[in-house]
Amino acid sequence: MTRQDFLLKWFFYALALLPVWWLELYVLNRLPWPGASPLLLPVAAITVAVLEGVTGGAGFGLGVGVLCDAVYYGAWGEMTLGLCLMGWAAGAASQYALRRNFGGCLLCCAAGLGLLELFRVSLGLFTGLSDLYALLRVAVPELFWSLCFVCLLYPWFSWVRRRIVKALRL
């Protein structure tokens, strides 16, 4: 793969992330169905990591993490490091242990989002933000509501990947 092909591939992934970002920020954020809004950007980062492998997953996770820290209220940098590590782990899992299909993506998203919610609940307890019951009343619906969107994001990024491979003849 030439340098131009490499840059085009990640440019197309970034373009594919824009409607996901818009959907999360301007549509689903206004309609918190089970009492929480879904986290689509971490799901998108993990999905691309499953499709692209270790280095691609870590790099895309880093970029999406920077975007998450810029967009999410109260973020102080944890998403940049967290999504980079989640992308690396999901890419490694899909490259060496799991298949690069919907099932592997769903499993990686469940593990990544579960760790993210565990971190957020632990941080909320440590800082005295609220009690455990109140934090779990937000974290659990947010986790399951976010996992519902794997059904939408995996086919979207899989289609983008197929188009990239076809266009660049990789």
Side-chain angles (χ1 to χ4, degrees), residues 108-131:
C108 287
C109 284
L113 289 172
L115 287 172
L116 178 65
E117 294 297 343
L118 179 67
F119 175 75
R120 292 169 90 179
V121 167
S122 301
L123 187 65
L125 286 174
F126 181 71
T127 59
L129 181 66
S130 187
D131 62 338

Side-chain angles (χ1 to χ4, degrees), residues 1 5-6 8-9 12 163-170:
M1 176 184 320
D5 292 344
F6 179 80
L8 277 174
K9 175 173 90 168
F12 288 134
R163 298 288 294 189
I164 291 169
V165 169
K166 184 177 178 182
L168 298 179
R169 294 181 184 91
L170 298 176

Side-chain angles (χ1 to χ4, degrees), residues 87-155:
W88 175 82
S94 71
Q95 194 169 346
Y96 299 116
L98 301 173
R99 291 183 172 217
R100 292 183 179 180
N101 59 8
F102 178 75
C105 182
L106 186 63
L107 188 63
C108 287
C109 284
L113 289 172
L115 287 172
L116 178 65
E117 294 297 343
L118 179 67
F119 175 75
R120 292 169 90 179
V121 167
S122 301
L123 187 65
L125 286 174
F126 181 71
T127 59
L129 181 66
S130 187
D131 62 338
L132 181 63
Y133 179 71
L135 291 171
L136 288 177
R137 279 187 48 199
V138 173
V140 172
E142 189 174 74
L143 171 72
F144 288 115
W145 186 221
S146 299
L147 283 177
C148 291
F149 285 92
V150 175
C151 298
L152 196 109
L153 295 182
Y154 178 78

Side-chain angles (χ1 to χ4, degrees), residues 58-108:
F60 194 74
L62 180 69
V64 174
V66 168
L67 181 64
C68 286
D69 281 332
V71 169
Y72 292 157
Y73 175 76
W76 45 269
E78 74 273 5
M79 293 297 279
T80 301
L81 179 62
L83 285 182
C84 181
L85 292 175
M86 279 188 232
W88 175 82
S94 71
Q95 194 169 346
Y96 299 116
L98 301 173
R99 291 183 172 217
R100 292 183 179 180
N101 59 8
F102 178 75
C105 182
L106 186 63
L107 188 63
C108 287

